[in-house]
Amino acid sequence: MRLRNNAEAFPTVAVGEGSQEEDDGGMVVIRQQQISEKLLKHEEERHVLLKEREELKEAFTEHEKLEAAKNLRKKESNLEYQDNLASQISFTQTIRGKEAEEKQRELQVQQFAEDQYQTRFRSALERPDVDRAIPSDLTATRTIDCSVKAETGTWRTP
């Protein structure tokens, strides 16, 4: 705060109390005291500011350490997540590969069975002397009595 005039800044000495030299000497002493008090006050404020600066520097350093630790944990978490996703993708691809192999194997087995069937079927058609599984005269004479099924639950042939 800035003072408007010197009268407010310096205490005054009553008029008639001593000589002018004493007043000047007293004023010099008072002014020197004021200056030394002001210097002490400034020195204390400077020490307080330096202390606050050091505390702030320490707090900032601590904050940087905490942020670095936080970033490291986040990075490790992200790497772990990435590894988990890669494992899941690998597992899924392995399962799909095995399923495709199984399907291919089943198709090969079915194709082999179909080839064997076609071979036997052609062979049977080429040999007319092979007995039929059901003789033609037996199929014509065989009939089923449907009334017995309704009553007993079993089929009966005449």
Side-chain angles (χ1 to χ4, degrees):
M1 178 171 114
R2 190 161 211 179
L3 301 176
R4 292 183 186 219
N5 58 34
N6 286 341
E8 295 175 5
F10 303 107
T12 59
V13 177
V15 178
E17 292 181 14
S19 69
Q20 181 69 23
E21 290 177 11
E22 287 179 15
D23 288 345
D24 287 342
M27 289 289 277
V28 169
V29 171
I30 291 173
R31 180 71 178 143
Q32 286 176 345
Q33 286 176 345
Q34 289 174 342
I35 290 172
S36 67
E37 287 174 5
K38 191 172 186 180
L39 288 174
L40 285 174
K41 184 177 178 184
H42 283 296
E43 189 65 26
E44 288 175 3
E45 288 177 357
R46 190 175 72 82
H47 282 294
V48 168
L49 289 174
L50 286 174
K51 185 178 179 181
E52 286 178 359
R53 178 183 274 173
E54 283 298 318
E55 290 173 354
L56 202 69
K57 206 184 267 187
E58 290 173 8
F60 185 74
T61 303
E62 182 66 24
H63 175 71
E64 284 180 334
K65 287 179 184 178
L66 291 174
E67 284 296 314
K70 178 182 169 185
N71 289 338
L72 182 62
R73 284 191 308 271
K74 184 73 168 178
K75 184 177 179 180
E76 288 172 351
S77 173
N78 287 343
L79 288 174
E80 183 178 341
Y81 182 68
Q82 181 181 0
D83 288 343
N84 286 341
L85 286 178
S87 296
Q88 288 177 2
I89 290 170
S90 174
F91 179 76
T92 302
Q93 289 174 343
T94 302
I95 294 298
R96 286 183 181 159
K98 288 183 180 182
E99 287 174 348
E101 288 174 6
E102 179 66 22
K103 187 173 183 177
Q104 184 64 31
R105 190 184 64 75
E106 287 177 3
L107 288 174
Q108 288 174 348
V109 167
Q110 289 174 355
Q111 185 63 42
F112 180 73
E114 179 67 23
D115 289 345
Q116 283 185 336
Y117 171 78
Q118 290 296 331
T119 301
R120 279 190 251 144
F121 183 70
R122 271 184 267 152
S123 172
L125 291 177
E126 290 173 0
R127 289 184 286 153
D129 59 334
V130 175
D131 291 337
R132 293 185 184 172
I134 301 174
S136 59
D137 61 332
L138 189 62
T139 56
T141 59
R142 196 173 263 237
T143 58
I144 299 174
D145 187 0
C146 292
S147 61
V148 175
K149 170 65 177 160
E151 297 169 5
T152 64
T154 59
W155 296 103
R156 185 177 76 171
T157 56

